[in-house]
Amino acid sequence: MADIMMTSGASFEGYEIEEYLGFVNAQTVLGSNFFKGFVAGATEMSDSESEKLTVRLEQANESALQKLVKMSKRRGADAIIGIDINCTQYASYAIGTIASGTAVKLRKIEQCKGAMNKELYVSNYYNRQVPRPVKVELNGVGDDVRLTTWFYNYNMEDIKAIRADVELTNLYEEKWLLKNQDFVFEKGNISLIQAENIECKIPAKDILLIKDAKVIISKYVTANGIFACNDQPIHVTMTQQRLSALKDKRGIDAVEKYRTDGMIWTCNCGYVNEAGAEECIICGRKQEEMKSTVTFNPDEMLAKMQEKEYVIELKDVLMEYIKDIDTQYRMELLEIMESGLQYEKLRGNMKQTVIEKVEKVFEGE
């Protein structure tokens, strides 16, 4: 029976039922003479007699199952599901074992070896109107790892291909440099273009360890010709978490918070414009619109908090700025401080935890 699978359930793990071949049943009868000797003194059956009876019943069950297997094989089955074994009395002192089930054909399910994926916003950018790398995605199944990259196309040019180096960094600060990767596009004349995926020579098991991605463009091809990009990219200084929050609020090409000193202003795309410019030269964002969404810059307050030692001191710093903070954030910040004060009594210094929570409130602002 080793060449046919059997279960009392309805399925086998790792397989799917390809075809149901019908209900099957088989039986084995124990002769009446065997039981006559037990009946008269059944209440006084010895251990040896009980053992003999048990062995004969097990043999009957096994015989019924063997007949069930033969019947199923004749139908072309490689498995039996829903197996049920019952005993029944046919006549005086005659006992029968009935085995039944459903004969089926199975198909093995192909198992994927640990599919993994990771998306990262690119942590460098160019301060002119070249295709801007904005996101990298890694997908691994078994030993096959694929990489794809998204670019922001400011000029809506018909971009055919981009050649670039991709630098990946993991949590241990180890780096992989993928040189001269050619990214091609099915549709290159829209604002956000996605490259066809390419083979990536890194172990699939390391995908989840990767924390940072940089893309350094050397040249790109449009319908109008081949263009070199010899600029050194600018590195984003904020964390991936804060960069992600900024992009969620300001657009996928955003890499910097809006700021101004009266003489110049920095756009969300990172370009530094002259004060008289109403809109950004690179991305076209209007300065007035960005001004209207920024009511409080927490950087100065957070810098002061870093100089302090305990949460009670952080709360004092917060109270210096509380009147300038949007009302929608005030209660949340006060609750963070009160919670930090309570935990500090029980767990020790909570300064850094509280500062991280305050930073999170203002992410993307």
Side-chain angles (χ1 to χ4, degrees):
M1 290 191 292
D3 57 345
I4 194 162
M5 299 169 67
M6 294 185 288
T7 180
S8 58
S11 62
F12 297 89
E13 185 174 354
Y15 293 84
E16 62 181 357
I17 295 173
E18 186 175 39
E19 185 180 357
Y20 290 88
L21 301 174
F23 181 76
V24 287
N25 71 85
Q27 54 191 307
T28 297
V29 179
L30 293 177
S32 59
N33 291 334
F34 175 75
F35 286 97
K36 283 181 180 179
F38 294 115
V39 174
T43 57
E44 300 176 358
M45 187 180 294
S46 67
D47 289 343
S48 62
E49 289 174 327
S50 176
E51 180 66 24
K52 286 180 183 178
L53 179 58
T54 300
V55 169
R56 287 300 301 271
L57 288 172
E58 288 176 350
Q59 289 173 345
N61 291 345
E62 185 71 13
S63 175
L65 284 173
Q66 288 176 352
K67 291 177 182 178
L68 194 70
V69 167
K70 288 180 181 178
M71 188 178 298
S72 299
K73 283 183 176 180
R74 285 198 294 269
R75 296 193 183 189
D78 49 27
I80 310 169
I81 62 172
I83 288 179
D84 186 33
I85 301 176
N86 290 296
C87 290
T88 185
Q89 184 173 354
Y90 289 103
S92 297
Y93 309 120
I95 299 294
T97 295
I98 300 174
S100 62
T102 300
V104 297
K105 286 187 72 67
L106 299 177
R107 177 170 55 238
K108 191 171 180 63
I109 299 171
E110 293 298 325
Q111 301 290 334
C112 291
K113 300 178 182 178
M116 297 183 184
N117 61 79
K118 189 71 174 278
E119 286 189 11
L120 289 166
Y121 286 120
V122 176
S123 63
N124 66 282
Y125 63 97
Y126 293 90
N127 239 338
R128 61 189 182 96
Q129 289 182 326
V130 298
R132 172 171 291 193
V134 290
K135 189 169 69 170
V136 165
E137 182 178 353
L138 289 157
N139 292 288
V141 178
D143 297 325
D144 183 28
V145 178
R146 298 279 164 173
L147 178 147
T148 187
T149 305
W150 281 259
F151 295 82
Y152 199 83
N153 184 8
Y154 285 116
N155 291 330
M156 300 283 284
E157 293 180 283
D158 186 8
I159 296 175
K160 306 294 186 182
I162 296 174
R163 180 168 293 174
D165 297 342
V166 179
E167 181 185 278
L168 303 171
T169 306
N170 68 14
L171 295 171
Y172 299 107
E173 299 299 336
E174 297 166 342
K175 298 182 186 299
W176 287 277
L177 183 61
L178 311 176
K179 293 282 290 182
N180 293 325
Q181 302 299 305
D182 287 314
F183 298 103
V184 297
F185 306 90
E186 183 178 343
K187 188 173 184 180
N189 59 349
I190 53 178
S191 59
L192 184 62
I193 55 176
Q194 179 184 357
E196 298 291 323
N197 65 58
I198 60 172
E199 185 179 358
C200 181
K201 297 291 188 181
I202 67 169
K205 64 182 178 62
D206 291 332
I207 287 176
L208 298 182
L209 289 173
I210 295 172
K211 68 168 186 175
D212 183 68
K214 291 181 172 61
V215 179
I216 302 94
I217 299 172
S218 58
K219 60 181 71 174
Y220 60 98
V221 182
T222 75
N224 297 317
I226 302 171
F227 299 88
C229 179
N230 299 316
D231 297 14
Q232 286 300 310
I234 300 167
H235 299 297
V236 176
T237 56
M238 63 182 72
T239 64
Q240 274 284 335
Q241 185 179 12
R242 299 192 75 180
L243 181 62
S244 177
L246 178 70
K247 290 179 180 293
D248 287 344
K249 291 188 176 183
R250 308 301 178 206
I252 197 168
D253 66 317
V255 290
E256 293 284 353
K257 292 181 179 181
Y258 165 80
R259 58 184 180 272
T260 181
D261 63 4
M263 300 293 292
I264 56 174
W265 58 276
T266 301
C267 179
N268 287 144
C269 75
Y271 189 77
V272 180
N273 297 270
E274 295 182 358
E278 295 182 358
E279 61 181 46
C280 178
I281 293 174
I282 299 294
C283 67
R285 287 181 174 88
K286 298 187 185 315
Q287 182 181 189
E288 288 302 316
E289 291 178 359
M290 283 185 285
K291 276 184 181 178
S292 65
T293 60
V294 178
T295 56
F296 175 72
N297 188 336
D299 292 342
E300 181 181 309
M301 181 183 75
L302 288 166
K304 282 190 177 182
M305 286 182 175
Q306 288 289 1
E307 297 171 358
K308 306 301 180 183
E309 187 69 23
Y310 300 105
V311 176
I312 187 65
E313 297 173 294
L314 303 186
K315 185 177 180 182
D316 290 340
V317 174
L318 172 64
M319 298 314 294
E320 292 177 27
Y321 292 89
I322 197 75
K323 66 179 185 302
D324 299 322
I325 298 173
D326 291 357
T327 54
Q328 61 179 320
Y329 300 138
R330 291 178 189 174
M331 186 58 67
E332 184 178 358
L333 290 166
L334 289 170
E335 288 175 355
I336 289 170
M337 293 299 167
E338 290 303 319
S339 176
L341 287 169
Q342 294 301 316
Y343 276 109
E344 198 164 66
K345 292 176 184 178
L346 301 171
R347 302 181 182 177
N349 194 293
M350 295 291 291
K351 167 190 168 180
Q352 205 55 46
T353 300
V354 168
I355 289 177
E356 287 174 3
K357 289 184 176 182
V358 172
E359 286 179 334
K360 193 169 182 179
V361 171
F362 294 103
E363 281 175 359
E365 296 299 326

